[in-house]
Structures are given as C-alpha cells and as structure tokens.
C-alpha cells in the first residue's frame, strides 16, 4: 500500500471516530435538555427524625498537603450533621512534616467533641485506593462521603445528599464540582470550561437515561454495602473511582447525580500540575477501557444503548489520540489534496466532518449559558472561550495521547498526586510550592517541534495549489500552532 493511501485511510478512520464521539455528545445534549427533575417525588430520609438519620463516615485521603490541610480540616469541622452519627477519617499517607501538624490539628478538633481519626500507613500500596480501602475496614458509617484535600463542601452538604439513600438501590450520590479559582488565569478558565461540560452535559445526559456515570473521586457519597458488593477499592488503575463505578453499576447499583449541589474546589494553577492530573485521568481512562470493555459488552442486564455510551465514556481520553492523528496528518493531506486532482470528490466528502466541531460548539454553548447566562455579550465571550479551549486542548493532545497509549498497552506507573496551592488566600503561593515538579519532560521538546510543524502548516496554505494557495485548513493549523505554543512555553517557564 503506497504511503498516500495509508495516510488517507488512517486520517479517515480518525475523523470518523471523532464524528462518532460528537454524535454521542449530541445525544447527551438531547438527554440533558429533556431531563426532567424527579427529585420531588423521590423517597428521602427525613433527617429531622433522629430514627432516620444514618451514620456517616467522611474520608479525607491526603498526601503531603501542606498548603491546604488546615483549610480542609477547618471546613470539615463546620459540616452540619448530628455529632453522634458522624465520624471523620483523615487517611494520611504523607511523608513530610504535615504528618505532625495534621496530628496536632486533629487533637484540637477532637477536644471540641468531633469524632475524627488520624489513620496513617507505613507504605502507599494501592495509593489513594489503598488508603480508602484501609479506612473502610474500620469505618463506622453506613455511608461514606469522600473529599480530596482541595474540596470545600458547604456546611449543609450532607443534608442535601444523604437523604437520597432511602432508595436502597442507590449506591452513589455524586455532586457537581465548583471552582473557587475559575478566573485565576487562562489555564484555570479552560480547565473549568472542560469540567463544566462534564458535570452538566455528560453526567446529567447519561444519568437521566440510566446510562453509566462515574463517581468523580471526590465530592460524593458511597453506600458502604455497594463498595463491598462491587469488590472494594482496587489500585490496579490510576482512576480507581472510574473502576469501582463501573463494577458497581455492572452489579445493578444505581447512581444519583445532583447537578444543583455544587462542591467548590481548587483548580491546578501551574501547567506542570495540570499536566500530571491530565496524564493520570487520561491514562486511567484507557486502563479502565482495557479492564472493563468485555465486562460491559457481555453484561446481559444493560441495554445496547447503555453499552455504547459506556464504551464511549471509557474511550473519552482516546479522543486525544484521534485528534493528534488528524492534526499531524492534516499537513500531508493538504499536499495530497493539491497533488492528486482525482481525489477532489473525497475531500468534498471529508469537509462534511467539520460538523463535528459544530456539534461540540452547540453542546458546549448549552453548558456555558446555563452557568453564565445567554445574551449576545455572553455568546461573544463564549466564542472566544470555545476557540481558546479547543486550541489549548489540542496543545495537550501529544501529552495525553502518550498517557492513553500507556494505558491501552498496560504500562504501569505511579499515582502522581496533583499539587494543591490554596491560592484563594495566597495569590502567589504557587511560586514557592515545594511539591511542584521542577524537571521538564522530554515530551515538552516534541510539543515545541509540533508548534513549529503547524507553523509550517500555516505557511503551506500560501504555497500549495495553482490558484494562489489553499486556506481551508489554515484556521485549524493556527489553533494547533497556538495550542502547542502555549503548552510548550508555559511548560518551559512553569508560570501560572
């Protein structure tokens, strides 16, 4: 097979897969729009009746959280719930001086009558999953609420989530993440943009039709019996939350997603922290596809549509690989288009796939206007935000594709925590953060080369063809140039 044919075939397959994913997002949009609130008719615990108040354990898995630990514990102490039905477990795998400062703060809180325990381990086997599993062994609660160290639930959080567990088929109640530092920088704004799409369009779109959703690792509550029934926490993937979510739903446990309950949290403010988080999430997604694919396909208790959405959900991160393939091959395709006139009909057909971008544009606008409101001013702001988001997301595609390939190929790696900063009170604390990764990955060099490559793509628009150039792909290459340029420069300079 000649090189041109190989390029065309691979490029076409990647475009088709992106289009398929876009159609799935469109279906989720229709689900989201048509979703009806059923909560008013739900049977709920009456927490004003002492006989209906269940015992709750709050688990706080932490690891070297110098900058946010005091804030976390102070916030947890404000949670409103009967003290005789609440315990807090600080699952502390720390290896630095925070072990002692955390111990002292816990002793102070104990003196107020709070049931709070400091549980430490001599090793980090299983990482976060291992810590959660150890805490579960001695947890008093019938229900387990989990918060990462940068989350700040409001004091009525348990009162708004726990009542739904009166339905004994519900295994998990998950809430929507908020962002206390959304407007800190371009980096935090695009992270918020992506997460908002997940926590509105995707979670509601799937949950409203009974498709599988995921516990997001934090800001949710598990029924202890559900965790045990599903096989307990396992540390063989980097996203233990997604893994246990699918195992639970495959055993017919229901998940309840509460879009109207927001749990504020902090977004990574430096690109090295965002990179480590993105790598873990994307590799973990691929690992779970590898682990769960056949279990989903063979399950006889779920519909074909739920299976399709489930597989596409597990393949979310693999879209980065398809985007990278389309991006890299788009420049040779530009030359092939202008070299082989007989292929013009093919390129006319391929131009149809710009509809994928239009679908994403419409889907994300529905999410954006729900948060910011509609109107022409917000729509203009949205257009700018959409293209900035897409450019930088494509700039992360090499980094995330490497994570995806490692996940699909079964290459194991450590659970790398995301540094926390507490920038809400210390604006520039990230500059001296002791947990920031100081070394630059070799991947960054290739991102710089890709920036130059797509610069060449923009130049090619002026020189190919006989009619003074071909500018059809110029906007695409400009976005790629800017996206890879942003990721490359920020990664070298380590600026927020």
């Amino acid at each position: 097979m000649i090189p041109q044919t190989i390029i065309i075939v691979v490029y076409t397959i990647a475009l088709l897969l992106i289009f398929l994913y876009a159609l799935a997002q469109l279906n989720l949009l229709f689900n989201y729009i048509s979703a009806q609130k059923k909560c008013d008719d739900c049977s709920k615990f009456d927490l004003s009746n002492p006989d209906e108040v269940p015992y709750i354990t709050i688990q706080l898995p932490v690891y070297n959280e110098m900058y946010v630990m005091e804030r976390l514990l102070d916030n947890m102490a404000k949670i409103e719930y009967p003290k005789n039905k609440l315990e807090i477990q600080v699952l502390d795998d720390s290896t630095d001086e925070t072990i002692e400062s955390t111990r002292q703060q816990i002793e102070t809180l104990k003196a107020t009558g709070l049931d709070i325990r400091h549980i430490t381990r001599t090793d980090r086997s299983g990482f976060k999953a291992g810590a959660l599993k150890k805490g579960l062994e001695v947890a008093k609660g019938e229900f387990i609420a989990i918060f990462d160290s940068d989350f700040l639930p409001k004091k009525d959080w348990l009162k708004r989530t726990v009542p739904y567990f009166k339905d004994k088929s519900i295994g998990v109640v998950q809430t929507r993440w908020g962002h206390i530092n959304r407007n800190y920088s371009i980096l935090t704004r695009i992270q918020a943009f992506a997460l908002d799409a997940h926590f509105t369009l995707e979670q509601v779109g799937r949950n409203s039709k009974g498709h599988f959703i995921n516990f997001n690792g934090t800001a949710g509550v598990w029924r202890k019996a559900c965790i045990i029934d599903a096989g307990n926490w396992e540390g063989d993937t980097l996203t233990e939350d997604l893994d246990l979510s699918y195992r639970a739903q495959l055993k017919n446990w229901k998940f309840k997603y509460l879009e109207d309950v927001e749990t504020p949290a902090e977004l990574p403010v430096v690109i090295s922290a965002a990179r480590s988080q993105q790598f873990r999430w994307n590799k973990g997604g691929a690992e779970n596809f590898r682990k769960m694919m056949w279990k989903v396909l063979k399950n006889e208790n779920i519909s074909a549509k739920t299976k399709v959405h489930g597989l596409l959900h597990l393949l979310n991160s693999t879209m980065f690989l398809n985007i990278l393939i389309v991006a890299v091959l788009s420049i040779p395709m530009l030359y092939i288009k202008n070299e082989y006139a007989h292929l013009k009909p093919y390129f006319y057909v391929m131009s149809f796939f710009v509809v994928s971008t239009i679908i994403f544009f419409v889907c994300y606008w529905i999410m954006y206007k729900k948060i910011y409101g509609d109107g022409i001013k917000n729509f203009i702001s949205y257009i700018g935000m959409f293209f900035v988001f897409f450019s930088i997301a494509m700039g992360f595609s090499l980094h995330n594709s490497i994570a995806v390939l490692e996940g699909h190929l079964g290459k194991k790696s450590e659970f790398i925590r995301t540094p926390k900063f507490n920038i809400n009170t210390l604006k520039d604390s990230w500059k001296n953060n002791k947990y920031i990764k100081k070394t630059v990955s070799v991947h960054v060099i290739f991102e710089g080369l890709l920036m130059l490559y797509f610069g060449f793509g923009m130049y090619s628009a002026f020189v190919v063809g006989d009619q003074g150039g071909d500018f059809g792909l110029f906007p695409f290459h400009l976005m790629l140039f800017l996206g890879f340029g942003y990721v490359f420069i920020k990664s070298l300079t380590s600026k927020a």
Side-chain angles (χ1 to χ4, degrees):
M1 189 178 289
I2 59 175
Q4 295 93 327
T5 305
I6 295 173
I7 290 171
I8 290 171
V9 169
V10 174
Y11 182 82
T12 303
I13 292 172
L15 271 181
L16 286 169
L17 290 173
I18 292 171
F19 179 63
L20 178 64
Y21 180 71
L23 290 179
Q25 293 294 103
L26 186 62
N27 181 249
L28 292 179
L29 175 62
F30 293 148
N31 293 349
Y32 180 80
I33 292 171
S34 65
Q36 300 295 315
K37 291 186 178 180
K38 301 175 183 176
C39 301
D40 294 336
D41 300 325
C42 289
S43 176
K44 300 180 192 175
F45 287 127
D46 178 8
L47 298 186
S48 65
N49 179 358
D51 294 333
E52 287 203 29
V53 177
Y55 209 117
I56 305 296
T57 296
I58 295 177
Q59 290 188 324
L60 308 174
V62 299
Y63 174 71
N64 295 350
E65 307 291 3
M66 174 184 291
Y67 303 99
V68 296
M69 201 66 218
E70 182 178 356
R71 181 182 73 178
L72 171 69
L73 294 179
D74 285 345
N75 189 77
M76 288 299 149
K78 298 174 185 175
I79 294 287
E80 294 177 344
Y81 202 79
K83 284 190 175 181
N84 65 328
K85 292 291 184 75
L86 176 68
E87 74 161 342
I88 298 174
Q89 294 181 336
V90 181
L91 307 174
D92 193 352
D93 281 358
S94 297
T95 57
D96 65 1
E97 63 270 34
T98 58
I99 281 276
E100 179 58 25
S101 58
T102 297
R103 185 193 66 77
Q104 292 175 7
Q105 189 177 1
I106 287 173
E107 290 302 317
T108 301
L109 292 174
K110 274 184 179 179
T112 69
L114 192 65
D115 183 1
I116 181 168
R117 295 185 60 187
H118 193 200
I119 300 174
T120 60
R121 299 193 298 166
T122 55
D123 66 85
R124 290 186 72 206
S125 58
F127 304 107
K128 181 180 176 181
L132 294 169
K133 188 173 183 178
K134 180 175 181 179
L136 195 69
E137 292 172 0
V138 294
K140 302 173 187 175
E142 181 184 354
F143 302 101
I144 314 294
I146 300 172
F147 299 101
D148 284 348
S149 62
D150 52 333
F151 278 73
L152 300 169
K154 295 173 184 175
K155 60 185 181 180
D156 64 346
W157 193 91
L158 287 177
K159 294 180 178 179
R160 299 182 68 187
T161 55
V162 170
Y164 292 95
F165 284 104
K166 189 165 186 178
D167 180 346
K168 293 185 178 181
S169 67
I170 290 179
V172 173
V173 172
Q174 173 68 51
T175 66
R176 178 171 59 87
W177 294 5
H179 317 293
I180 60 176
N181 58 333
R182 173 192 296 272
N183 295 316
Y184 185 83
S185 66
I186 290 176
L187 181 63
T188 57
R189 283 195 288 271
I190 64 159
Q191 290 176 87
F193 187 90
L195 287 169
D196 288 342
H198 170 69
F199 281 100
T200 53
L201 175 72
E202 295 184 352
Q203 290 288 63
V204 176
R206 293 190 181 105
N207 193 227
S208 65
K209 298 299 182 182
H211 304 320
F212 286 8
I213 65 169
N214 59 300
F215 167 65
N216 294 102
T218 176
V221 190
W222 282 83
R223 187 186 296 269
K224 185 177 180 180
C226 173
I227 297 175
I228 301 302
D229 183 55
N232 215 322
W233 297 103
E234 295 179 356
D236 57 344
T237 73
L238 293 180
T239 46
E240 74 295 322
D241 46 4
L242 180 60
D243 172 27
L244 186 58
S245 296
Y246 267 67
R247 284 189 279 121
Q249 288 168 108
L250 285 168
K251 298 204 76 170
N252 296 325
W253 287 97
K254 294 180 182 177
F255 281 32
K256 181 72 178 176
Y257 177 66
L258 303 179
E259 185 187 11
D260 60 334
V261 180
E262 179 184 81
T263 310
E266 178 184 301
L267 294 161
V269 297
V270 294
I271 201 162
S272 60
R275 288 174 75 98
S276 65
Q277 186 179 71
Q278 287 282 309
F279 195 89
R280 187 175 73 248
W281 286 353
N282 285 288
K283 181 171 181 175
E287 287 176 327
N288 273 288
F289 175 79
R290 195 168 183 260
K291 181 176 181 178
M292 292 292 167
M293 177 182 68
W294 290 113
K295 294 177 182 178
V296 171
L297 288 173
K298 292 178 180 179
N299 192 287
E300 297 178 356
N301 298 318
I302 56 178
S303 68
K305 194 169 185 179
T306 294
K307 289 180 181 182
V308 170
H309 273 290
L311 292 177
L312 289 173
H313 183 195
L314 293 170
L315 283 170
N316 267 356
S317 59
T318 305
M319 286 304 110
F320 280 106
L321 181 58
N322 291 315
I323 289 168
L324 182 64
I325 290 170
V326 168
V328 170
L329 295 184
S330 64
I331 295 177
M333 287 294 287
L334 180 64
Y335 283 88
I336 290 171
K337 175 185 175 183
N338 286 279
E339 183 76 18
Y340 301 97
H342 66 282
L343 293 177
K344 280 188 177 180
Y346 163 82
F347 285 98
Y348 285 134
V349 172
M350 287 298 101
S351 64
F352 165 79
F353 288 101
V354 72
V355 76
S356 296
T357 304
I358 295 171
I359 290 172
F360 291 128
F361 184 86
V362 172
C363 288
Y364 289 176
W365 165 242
I366 300 299
M367 168 274 296
Y368 189 89
K369 76 174 183 177
K370 182 174 179 65
I371 294 170
Y372 296 97
D374 51 13
I376 187 66
K377 185 177 179 180
N378 279 336
F379 183 67
I380 291 171
S381 296
Y382 167 72
I383 293 172
M385 190 68 238
F386 178 82
F387 285 102
V388 169
F389 163 72
F390 252 62
S391 296
I392 296 177
M394 289 191 295
F396 273 100
S397 62
L398 174 65
H399 176 76
N400 291 345
S401 292
I402 292 169
V404 165
L405 288 171
E406 286 190 8
H408 284 306
L409 294 173
K411 181 181 178 182
K412 296 298 179 183
S413 57
E414 283 197 6
F415 185 105
I416 305 298
R417 63 180 290 281
T418 304
K420 312 300 190 301
F421 300 88
N422 195 8
I423 56 86
N424 197 38
T425 55
L426 301 172
K427 180 70 175 176
D428 295 323
S429 66
W430 62 267
K431 291 182 178 179
N432 299 312
N433 190 299
K434 64 182 285 186
Y435 304 125
I436 292 178
K437 183 179 178 181
K438 300 297 193 297
T439 58
V440 176
S441 167
V442 67
H443 302 164
V444 174
I445 305 303
F446 288 100
E447 287 162 349
L449 292 174
L450 283 169
M451 175 189 70
L452 297 177
Y453 178 69
F454 294 115
F456 171 74
M458 291 190 293
Y459 162 78
S460 297
F462 293 91
V463 298
V464 298
D466 301 323
Q467 308 297 322
D470 184 338
F471 294 93
L473 288 173
F474 187 87
F476 182 50
H477 291 151
L478 174 62
M479 291 171 67
L480 287 161
F481 175 79
L482 294 174
F484 277 102
Y486 175 89
V487 172
F488 172 65
I489 293 169
K490 288 291 185 181
S491 297
L492 286 182
T493 58
S494 295
K495 290 182 179 179

